[in-house]
Amino acid sequence: MSFYHFFKAIDDKVWLKLGLQTSHNHTLDLINRSHHFDAYIDAVKRAKALGFQVCAHLILGLPGETAADCHTTLDRIIEVGVDGIKLHPLMVVRGSLMAKQYAAGELEVMEEDDYIALAAEMIQRTPTHVVYHRIAAQARRPTLIAPEWCTTARGVSSKIAKVLAVEGVQGSKLKILSTN
């Protein structure tokens, strides 16, 4: 019995989680991911051919990336055929190259309000058939160096939910986008 068939026998939905982070090759090179977006496309095609559902991990606030870059990544993964998404902010952790860059003042992290606004907007731009597995993440001290607000994911998730309740839920900006 194959790995896939073993899990398929347990549960009808088998997810393959891919740590894409961004669709921008220059950023992938910058953060040493050792893959490009074309490798993600290939992995999705193979996974879909085997019957897997695909969940993409995306990081908001990567060095040099703007909100527009994040929206482009979202549009690209939707076009390729993503079934689920895990969002989280860039977190600087002890022992990483980014920790050294952060300590030297060469790296900035997102403010909590900026992350909340961008995450909510991305959710609003996502078709409702795509499942959000996570919209925030946390790390603990002493592992986490920055941003401080990432020590609790629950509070951030609640704040994103409040924005969505007021400004529109998942998929609510799709009609607006298609008429522009």
Side-chain angles (χ1 to χ4, degrees), residues 74-123:
L74 177 66
D75 294 342
R76 289 176 178 168
I77 66 170
I78 289 169
E79 183 179 326
V80 171
V82 73
D83 302 295
I85 298 173
K86 284 189 171 187
L87 283 183
H88 66 86
L90 175 67
M91 292 185 277
V92 179
V93 295
R94 186 173 309 284
S96 68
L97 175 59
M98 286 187 185
K100 292 176 185 174
Q101 294 168 332
Y102 184 78
E106 300 167 358
L107 178 70
E108 293 183 24
V109 294
M110 286 186 98
E111 296 294 329
E112 182 180 19
D113 290 343
D114 295 333
Y115 178 79
I116 290 165
L118 181 55
E121 190 169 292
M122 289 183 70
I123 293 166

Side-chain angles (χ1 to χ4, degrees), residues 28-160:
L28 291 167
D29 289 340
L30 182 67
I31 63 171
N32 299 315
R33 289 298 295 171
S34 67
H35 67 79
H36 281 166
F37 187 60
D38 58 344
Y40 171 82
I41 294 170
D42 180 58
V44 170
K45 288 178 181 175
R46 289 188 202 198
K48 295 284 190 171
L50 292 171
F52 286 95
Q53 294 193 56
V54 175
C55 177
H57 291 231
L58 302 180
I59 297 176
L60 306 184
L62 288 167
E65 289 209 352
T66 64
D69 293 323
C70 296
H71 294 309
T72 297
T73 292
L74 177 66
D75 294 342
R76 289 176 178 168
I77 66 170
I78 289 169
E79 183 179 326
V80 171
V82 73
D83 302 295
I85 298 173
K86 284 189 171 187
L87 283 183
H88 66 86
L90 175 67
M91 292 185 277
V92 179
V93 295
R94 186 173 309 284
S96 68
L97 175 59
M98 286 187 185
K100 292 176 185 174
Q101 294 168 332
Y102 184 78
E106 300 167 358
L107 178 70
E108 293 183 24
V109 294
M110 286 186 98
E111 296 294 329
E112 182 180 19
D113 290 343
D114 295 333
Y115 178 79
I116 290 165
L118 181 55
E121 190 169 292
M122 289 183 70
I123 293 166
Q124 292 166 330
R125 294 172 58 110
T126 304
T128 56
H129 70 273
V130 176
V131 176
Y132 271 89
H133 294 242
R134 178 178 69 204
I135 58 173
Q138 71 181 46
R140 302 236 184 258
R141 297 238 182 244
T143 303
L144 178 70
I145 295 173
E148 177 65 34
W149 58 267
C150 285
T151 57
T152 60
R154 178 173 279 159
V156 174
S157 296
S158 295
K159 291 173 184 177
I160 293 169

